[in-house]
Amino acid sequence: MNEAVRLFEGRIIENLKSNGHSELTAAHINLTRNLDEDGTRLTELARRASLTKQSMSELVDQVEQTGLIEKRRDPSDGRAKLVCFTEKGLEWLEAFHESLEVAEKEMRDELGSAMVDLMIEVLGKYVESQAAEMKGHQ
């Protein structure tokens, strides 16, 4: 399963690069996939990505150097910072979504839409069951 995810994400990155977006690597995608369009606190990004706060902070610093994201003051807590997409980052996000659609279409062409729909359904049920189990352990 890990190899399938690696290949799928690789296709997304290849498509991004072929469309002029070579700013990020697969590691950086782990940050952007967990970043809300209106901004997310670093601690929440780390939690969503299953990374330490320090590791996520390093990713944020790296991606911030590309100009795709920036840290802003959190209006609900002046001591906290939000990680937010910049205007350039929102354009990149749109290209990312388009590349994701291309990769999914390629998968559907290769495996058939019924198989991909089934995989999405079954994996969704797995995620739900694991989330419920984790909630029960809290």
Side-chain angles (χ1 to χ4, degrees), residues 33-95:
R33 85 161 44 98
N34 290 295
L35 181 56
D36 298 325
E37 285 190 40
D38 58 347
T40 308
R41 287 187 181 179
L42 180 69
T43 51
E44 178 61 15
L45 281 172
R47 185 195 67 75
R48 289 177 185 177
S50 299
L51 294 174
T52 65
K53 185 178 173 187
Q54 182 180 357
S55 295
M56 181 54 75
S57 181
E58 289 176 24
L59 281 177
V60 166
D61 289 345
Q62 291 169 12
V63 176
E64 190 173 29
Q65 290 177 8
T66 69
L68 298 180
I69 62 170
E70 64 187 0
K71 294 177 210 138
R72 298 181 193 153
R73 182 176 301 275
D74 185 340
S76 66
D77 181 351
R79 298 168 296 156
K81 296 275 187 188
L82 287 176
V83 178
C84 303
F85 284 107
T86 61
E87 197 62 40
K88 179 181 172 185
L90 290 172
E91 291 171 12
W92 176 90
L93 185 61
E94 186 176 322

Side-chain angles (χ1 to χ4, degrees), residues 14 18 32 36 50-52 67 84 100 111 121 137:
E14 283 177 31
S18 70
T32 59
D36 298 325
S50 299
L51 294 174
T52 65
C84 303
L100 176 65
L111 302 176
E121 179 184 343
H137 285 94

Side-chain angles (χ1 to χ4, degrees), residues 75-123:
S76 66
D77 181 351
R79 298 168 296 156
K81 296 275 187 188
L82 287 176
V83 178
C84 303
F85 284 107
T86 61
E87 197 62 40
K88 179 181 172 185
L90 290 172
E91 291 171 12
W92 176 90
L93 185 61
E94 186 176 322
F96 174 82
H97 287 139
E98 290 169 5
S99 295
L100 176 65
E101 288 175 14
V102 168
E104 184 175 325
K105 182 187 179 315
E106 290 172 355
M107 183 182 282
R108 287 180 182 282
D109 290 347
E110 177 99 12
L111 302 176
S113 282
M115 180 65 76
V116 174
D117 289 343
L118 180 61
M119 285 187 330
I120 291 169
E121 179 184 343
V122 170
L123 289 172

